[in-house]
Amino acid sequence: MSREERIEMLKKEFSEINTYNRPTYCSECGGVMEFKGLGEYHCEKCGFIDYDDYGKARNYVEQHRGANAAEVARATGVSQKAIRDMLKEGKLEIAQNSVIFLKCEICGSKISSGRYCPKCEMNYHHDLEEMARKARHHGDTFGYSTERRKGEDGAKRFTRDE
């Protein structure tokens, strides 16, 4: 995979961050919902407790071990796409005895959560580190640097034509 392809892949990953329908205002009194952790939110005013999609799916899976994505979606109202995203992000994990599994996006081996198997994930991060080392060595800082470019020696960057 080329350097440009890896950069595009990282940009895509950051742009696809899912908010999982986080409640911002209380459905009971209109107060502001405070995040308490694990997908749980409490109202500042009345104390009402609500959950985002992750909290709903997590609670259901804790109470119904071995439930598949379709069962979780049907019971909680969380979309199967959101559940797949949670699996790929490592927020949820497929049960050990399940006949359903995810595939590593690089080598295709069976995994229970995430996007890559441990071997491919290690190689992926190693490649990212190597890219960073090469960029640093060559002075390639993606346009952000405090170092002066060689050969400019105080020359104006732009001149005004009059």
Side-chain angles (χ1 to χ4, degrees):
M1 187 179 287
S2 74
R3 179 174 178 264
E4 290 78 23
E5 290 172 328
R6 288 185 191 275
I7 291 170
E8 285 304 313
M9 188 169 73
L10 288 172
K11 285 180 182 177
K12 183 180 176 191
E13 283 179 29
F14 288 118
S15 70
E16 293 178 349
I17 294 174
N18 198 328
T19 60
Y20 299 121
N21 297 317
R22 292 183 179 132
T24 51
Y25 299 104
C26 179
S27 59
E28 301 292 312
C29 73
V32 175
M33 299 298 281
E34 291 181 327
F35 178 67
K36 295 297 182 180
L38 301 175
E40 187 175 308
Y41 297 78
H42 294 196
C43 176
E44 286 180 337
K45 287 184 180 178
C46 69
F48 177 73
I49 299 173
D50 201 359
Y51 298 92
D52 62 13
D53 288 350
Y54 168 68
K56 292 173 188 174
R58 183 179 185 279
N59 289 338
Y60 186 82
V61 169
E62 281 182 353
Q63 295 170 1
H64 302 89
R65 298 241 183 247
N68 63 34
E71 293 169 354
V72 175
R74 201 171 23 258
T76 62
V78 176
S79 72
Q80 286 192 39
K81 182 191 179 316
I83 294 168
R84 280 191 306 274
D85 289 345
M86 289 178 219
L87 287 166
K88 286 184 176 186
E89 291 172 11
K91 292 182 178 215
L92 296 176
E93 189 172 317
I94 295 174
Q96 287 182 347
N97 59 354
S98 177
V99 295
I100 300 168
F101 56 88
L102 298 173
K103 288 186 178 182
C104 172
E105 293 181 8
I106 295 175
C107 72
S109 65
K110 296 178 183 180
I111 55 176
S112 60
S113 73
R115 296 178 57 202
Y116 312 114
C117 67
K119 180 183 168 195
C120 290
E121 186 163 7
M122 187 183 308
N123 289 337
Y124 173 73
H125 287 288
H126 177 71
D127 290 347
L128 286 178
E129 291 166 4
E130 189 60 32
M131 248 176 47
R133 278 189 206 95
K134 285 180 181 176
R136 184 172 183 214
H137 177 71
H138 294 301
D140 184 5
T141 56
F142 305 106
Y144 303 102
S145 175
T146 57
E147 297 177 17
R148 291 178 57 172
R149 292 184 179 171
K150 293 179 179 133
E152 291 182 0
D153 295 328
K156 291 182 180 178
R157 205 165 166 190
F158 302 103
T159 58
R160 202 174 279 180
D161 294 328
E162 294 182 35

